[in-house]
Amino acid sequence: MTGGHPHAVQVPSGYRVGPWEVREPLASGAFSTVYAARHTGGARSGRHEAALKFLPTGTHTPRHLRHLRELADREVELLRRLRTPRLIRMDDVRTVDDPGLPELDGATVLVLERAEGSLETLLSRAPVPRSGPALLAQVCEGLHQLHHAGWVHGDLKPGNVLLMKDGSVRLADFNMAAEMEGTHAYSPAFSTPDYTPPELLWPELGERGRQIRPTADIWAFGVLAHLVLTGGHPLPGGSAEARCDAAVRYARGAEELRLSPGLPEPWREIVADCLARTHELRAAHGTASLLRRVERAAGTARSARLPRLRPRRWRRPALAAGLAGTVLGTVAAVAGTYTALRDGGPAYGYHRCPVDSVCFFSEKFGMGEMCGWTEDDPDWLSGDETCSWTRSRPVRSIFNNGVEAPGRGGVAYYRGTGFTATGIDLTRTKRRTGCTSVRQQGNLAGTYAPRSHKWVSDC
């Protein structure tokens, strides 16, 4: 999904879809258009803003109708079944019933959370954003979540990477997504040439479409990483067609891969492995291992170090000052593009939480002050270094950025020191304030004032 296509679906401003009123167009692709929308139900309606994605299903030939319906069904099925931190969230699905507008009648409308912009928009303003490595780590995490759930994206590109207001990254546009059936999946024979591996540029098509494997997303990630880190494509050519020809020559061994001299050294091996000539060679680098390498290269993971002897089996928290008060101004400065990424790295938001850590924040969406730990802490308010702000302010959001390991499936937190229950916790079955699973993030409802936490097997 990009902003450069003519609108595939024309929807007038002010048009109503259920409780949603259509505003300005946000982006458009070959088969759909996304519009900003606001809820007309008042303050008690929940989310006030959303993005409405219109997928047309009317005024077409029967064969074309079947194809468009399949694209809509793919996206709806995936978004209904998968709800992970790195995939765009869907709140509702509606069908337009308006015979007076044949071009809209029967259209499928996805009600999605509203993004601030896309990676494509960011790259148009800053071809080599200084925060590119951290951004790529989140994109890779999204791919890992998809692949782990048994799905292939099939169309990873800058326009399908969205930047959210809270500083997080979401993958979007799952028209081409396919669920694995053994070693491969079946996807429509449409993709973006610059991000398509050589073996799929002219694939053999069966009744169910083309066969696609997770290695297609690995290739696309390699192209994306090279573009974000250098401002250029990894294969030569002044047009997509010329670059496709170069990709085919490279796959046949007639041409070598010539990565940009500007590609940072830690990333050269990563990109080269992602852009291996064949599916078989790329299959050796799944997204689980790729994510660990990318996080290390991005500097978002802890470096290896020898254990230190301490009388207590916990590490002191790392404190980070928030910049919550600057959010509105910076967003306005880029006209809707996530400014912290443009300006060289997020100084606020969930991004600050190091890999293999659990982080607690004084404001919603990872804003404000932060305390992060890699191990248990039986008392947040004692010792040489403390999480001092929790003495007078509650925790408003949390990010468990841990790595799955035996005994570390979640983090439980408690109002008392020494992992003890106090107050209302005494009435709870597990007698704890809360628990957050690995790789989960979000706001905490109510007043949470934990004083200790520990890693547990699961929540």
Side-chain angles (χ1 to χ4, degrees):
M1 181 71 65
T2 73
H5 290 272
H7 300 318
V9 186
Q10 296 286 347
V11 183
S13 178
Y15 191 80
R16 293 283 294 273
V17 178
W20 296 99
E21 182 179 278
V22 171
R23 307 298 290 270
E24 72 278 5
L26 297 175
S28 195
F31 302 106
S32 62
T33 300
V34 179
Y35 288 85
R38 66 179 179 89
H39 201 285
T40 59
R44 292 179 293 178
S45 61
R47 181 177 292 170
H48 300 297
E49 293 185 337
L52 301 189
K53 182 173 183 178
F54 286 79
L55 297 108
T57 54
T59 66
H60 295 279
T61 65
R63 182 176 181 180
H64 197 185
L65 280 174
R66 286 194 300 271
H67 171 68
L68 293 173
R69 172 54 60 186
E70 180 188 356
L71 295 181
D73 289 345
R74 283 174 179 273
E75 185 152 14
V76 169
E77 181 180 10
L78 185 147
L79 290 173
R80 278 177 170 166
R81 291 171 57 181
L82 302 184
R83 294 185 69 84
T84 64
R86 294 288 173 253
L87 305 187
I88 198 73
R89 293 182 176 90
M90 180 179 72
D91 291 337
D92 195 9
V93 182
R94 291 180 173 267
T95 301
V96 175
D97 182 10
D98 191 348
L101 286 175
E103 64 277 12
L104 284 181
D105 191 36
T108 298
V109 182
L110 312 185
V111 182
L112 306 170
E113 60 181 333
R114 172 81 179 270
E116 287 295 300
S118 71
L119 176 57
E120 182 177 57
T121 304
L122 176 63
L123 294 178
S124 70
R125 298 173 182 273
V128 185
R130 287 181 291 170
S131 60
L135 185 152
L136 289 170
Q138 291 195 67
V139 173
C140 190
E141 185 182 6
L143 281 184
H144 177 54
Q145 291 169 356
L146 268 178
H147 291 186
H148 183 71
W151 287 77
V152 181
H153 188 287
D155 196 22
L156 178 67
K157 58 185 179 181
N160 292 340
V161 176
L162 301 184
L163 311 178
M164 310 304 292
K165 187 175 183 178
D166 67 358
S168 62
V169 168
R170 301 274 200 275
L171 301 188
D173 204 349
F174 302 104
N175 294 161
M176 308 301 170
E179 189 171 15
M180 294 289 291
E181 300 178 18
T183 61
H184 57 268
Y186 293 95
S187 175
F190 295 96
S191 58
T192 305
D194 268 327
Y195 300 87
T196 302
E199 68 270 15
L200 293 182
L201 286 173
W202 291 278
E204 293 184 7
L205 300 180
E207 292 183 359
R208 301 178 62 188
R210 63 175 180 174
Q211 288 189 0
I212 189 171
R213 298 176 176 88
T215 54
D217 289 342
I218 299 293
W219 173 279
F221 180 80
V223 176
L224 186 71
H226 193 278
L227 183 66
V228 169
L229 297 172
T230 71
H233 290 273
L235 292 162
S239 66
E241 182 178 7
R243 290 189 289 270
C244 286
D245 290 340
V248 172
R249 294 195 302 272
Y250 163 65
R252 292 172 179 171
E255 186 169 316
E256 294 298 320
L257 187 63
R258 298 182 179 88
L259 300 179
S260 169
L263 187 63
E265 191 58 38
W267 289 89
R268 298 188 74 82
E269 186 178 352
I270 293 174
V271 173
D273 287 342
C274 290
L275 300 181
R277 297 182 195 274
T278 66
H279 151 72
E280 290 77 14
L281 291 173
R282 293 193 299 275
H285 309 286
T287 50
S289 61
L290 181 62
L291 177 58
R292 291 193 293 271
R293 296 169 65 191
V294 166
E295 287 176 332
R296 286 196 297 269
T300 56
R302 293 178 58 86
S303 59
R305 63 180 65 184
L306 295 176
R308 292 179 291 174
L309 295 177
R310 292 189 178 216
R312 302 167 70 181
R313 295 182 57 199
W314 54 279
R315 292 177 179 172
R316 295 167 181 170
L319 302 180
L323 299 177
T326 65
V327 177
L328 293 179
T330 54
V331 169
V334 298
T337 299
Y338 180 49
T339 315
L341 289 173
R342 180 203 70 178
D343 286 342
Y348 54 87
Y350 293 118
H351 287 143
R352 293 178 290 164
C353 186
V355 173
D356 205 19
S357 301
V358 60
C359 299
F360 299 85
F361 305 89
S362 64
E363 303 295 339
K364 293 183 177 180
F365 303 114
M367 305 297 239
E369 294 185 86
M370 178 189 85
C371 287
W373 289 265
T374 60
E375 301 293 344
D376 303 345
D377 189 343
D379 188 348
W380 287 10
L381 297 177
S382 70
D384 296 332
E385 296 180 57
T386 64
C387 190
S388 57
W389 58 265
T390 60
R391 188 182 301 275
S392 58
R393 282 176 289 166
V395 171
R396 296 295 188 186
S397 56
I398 181 175
F399 181 20
N400 184 343
N401 199 18
V403 176
E404 291 184 7
R408 292 172 70 92
V411 168
Y413 30 102
Y414 305 80
R415 280 186 172 85
T417 59
F419 322 123
T420 59
T422 63
I424 192 174
D425 293 340
L426 294 173
T427 66
R428 300 176 186 270
T429 303
K430 295 187 178 182
R431 293 192 175 183
R432 62 193 185 195
T433 300
C435 188
T436 300
S437 299
V438 168
R439 295 293 188 183
Q440 297 300 306
Q441 64 188 32
N443 298 326
L444 298 177
T447 302
Y448 281 73
R451 290 291 182 269
S452 61
H453 75 272
K454 65 178 178 179
W455 292 85
V456 295
S457 297
D458 59 70
C459 289

